[in-house]
Amino acid sequence: PNWGGSGTRWVYDNALGACFRTTEAVESRMAPDITRSNAGGAMPRNTAVRGLLDDLDDIEADKRKAAKKKATNSRMATTREVMEMRSRQKKAPRKKKGEYDSTKHVLVYKIGGGRYAVPKKRIFIKNEEGKDVIFRGVFGNYKMAWYELWLSGKPVSVERNLADLISGLPDAYHPKTGQKLLREAIVWAPAKKIRTFNPETNRKGTRTLRWHDGERILVRMVLDNAAYELIEGDKRIHGFVHVNMYDGQALPTPAVDARVKDAEEWMAMDHNEDSEQVLTEVGGKLVDTKKADADDSEANSWDPFNHLSDLGM
């Protein structure tokens, strides 16, 4: 048996019970290295040999410690590299407000001032011919949303059949998921009947009161190019109230929740006209309409030929 590393080796002679130093020249004639772990019962009893084995065990332990330390240092180096990379990313100059990447984004202008960048892949879609066209429903993102419309016709007629027109549009599908778009619409023209009072005739009545005097209407739908063209082509509708502009093209924006809430609050308000309040505002006096009607009836039924005796005839 022999012990040692590369270059110099220690060879143990069983007959003499001693170790001899040898070189790589006789390495081919040596048996595999013997250590404390694989020597088993053949481990010599000689004290010097056992000491040599202990030294070899220490060398192996040092090698394991060195390998472990190297692995630890490698992990630490990797961690430092990651931290340095993150630090460089944090220190990278940020884009100033208003700056954008023109190769990936386009500028959309808000009506009334302001602008913001929108990804090109959201603005443009492929038509049936494979050409890029502007997607009018970009801000609706293929979801059901409320849109506020200007009206030029009577809201009753629009409310009556606009939903049917939208539901009759051709089927359309989401470009990414392939999911069929919902061809349904909720058309809401807020209106209510109120009690009225005419201070000139002292008569009460009722009339229909409409939100924004009937010039606006709310529609909940999934907006795509087909729905946009339908609404823009309807002569009873001026167009969308809330829009942004890109390259001279209108991109409708869904109505914010505050607009829908405004319509709901308007419906809940009491617009009934109190007769005494109206007369106070115009500086008049409240008249008993039943008595006034009776007086008018008596005056209209008076016949001068039936009252000749009153004239002394």
Side-chain angles (χ1 to χ4, degrees):
N2 63 301
W3 301 269
S6 62
T8 302
R9 290 185 175 275
W10 289 89
V11 179
Y12 175 72
D13 192 318
N14 289 323
L16 298 177
C19 291
F20 299 92
R21 184 189 299 268
T22 184
T23 61
E24 294 179 349
V26 293
E27 185 177 350
S28 59
R29 295 178 295 171
M30 296 179 181
D33 292 346
I34 295 179
T35 62
R36 191 178 294 277
S37 60
N38 61 20
M43 182 63 65
R45 298 180 180 180
N46 189 291
T47 304
V49 175
R50 289 200 300 270
L52 178 61
L53 290 177
D54 291 339
D55 293 340
L56 294 176
D57 287 344
D58 293 340
I59 293 173
E60 293 295 327
D62 291 340
K63 288 182 178 180
R64 289 193 296 270
K65 289 181 180 178
K68 185 176 180 180
K69 184 176 181 180
K70 183 178 180 180
T72 302
N73 291 339
S74 177
R75 289 194 299 270
M76 292 177 65
T78 303
T79 304
R80 283 196 298 271
E81 291 177 359
V82 172
M83 294 178 65
E84 290 176 359
M85 181 181 67
R86 291 179 178 176
S87 177
R88 287 193 299 268
Q89 291 177 347
K90 290 181 179 179
K91 293 179 181 179
R94 296 183 178 181
K95 291 182 178 180
K96 297 181 180 179
K97 187 176 181 181
E99 293 182 349
Y100 71 102
D101 187 351
S102 59
T103 62
K104 298 181 180 179
H105 297 79
V106 296
L107 285 180
V108 174
Y109 291 82
K110 300 179 181 179
I111 299 299
R115 64 181 186 176
Y116 50 90
V118 178
K120 283 186 176 180
K121 61 183 180 181
R122 291 184 57 193
I123 289 285
F124 297 100
I125 59 174
K126 299 289 185 182
N127 61 6
E128 297 177 354
E129 300 176 355
K131 297 181 180 180
D132 287 338
V133 295
I134 295 177
F135 178 44
R136 303 288 184 168
V138 57
F139 294 105
N141 198 22
Y142 297 98
K143 297 179 181 179
M144 289 287 287
W146 285 104
Y147 293 89
E148 191 173 349
L149 306 179
W150 288 103
L151 297 183
S152 57
K154 295 181 178 180
V156 176
S157 64
V158 178
E159 186 178 22
R160 185 180 298 118
N161 64 356
L162 181 58
D164 296 334
L165 293 175
I166 294 175
S167 62
L169 290 172
D171 293 338
Y173 301 88
H174 195 288
K176 291 185 178 179
T177 63
Q179 185 178 1
K180 185 178 179 180
L181 299 184
L182 188 63
R183 287 301 192 196
E184 295 181 3
I186 301 174
V187 182
W188 184 28
K192 56 185 175 182
K193 283 191 174 183
I194 62 170
R195 296 189 302 272
T196 61
F197 176 76
N198 189 337
E200 297 179 357
T201 61
N202 289 301
R203 294 183 182 275
K204 296 180 180 180
T206 59
R207 69 183 179 93
T208 301
L209 193 64
R210 299 190 179 277
W211 186 53
H212 284 282
D213 296 328
E215 295 180 352
R216 298 189 187 183
I217 196 172
L218 292 169
V219 182
R220 183 172 174 82
M221 62 180 174
V222 177
L223 183 66
D224 63 347
N225 286 5
Y228 175 84
E229 293 173 1
L230 171 68
I231 291 175
E232 287 294 322
D234 196 321
K235 295 181 179 180
R236 303 168 300 175
I237 303 174
H238 277 308
F240 291 86
V241 175
H242 308 286
V243 296
N244 294 316
M245 302 299 294
Y246 167 69
D247 196 21
Q249 303 293 324
L251 302 176
T253 305
V256 295
D257 295 338
R259 294 300 298 155
V260 180
K261 187 176 180 180
D262 176 73
E264 294 174 347
E265 292 177 350
W266 179 86
M267 289 290 294
M269 291 176 62
D270 183 10
H271 288 89
N272 293 312
E273 298 177 356
D274 181 76
S275 55
E276 293 185 3
Q277 181 180 358
V278 172
L279 287 172
T280 302
E281 292 175 356
V282 298
K285 296 181 179 180
L286 183 62
V287 179
D288 187 349
T289 54
K290 292 184 179 180
K291 185 177 183 300
D293 291 342
D295 294 342
D296 291 343
S297 176
E298 183 178 354
N300 292 333
S301 62
W302 181 78
D303 186 354
F305 294 99
N306 294 333
H307 298 80
L308 295 178
S309 58
D310 297 337
L311 299 176
M313 298 178 63

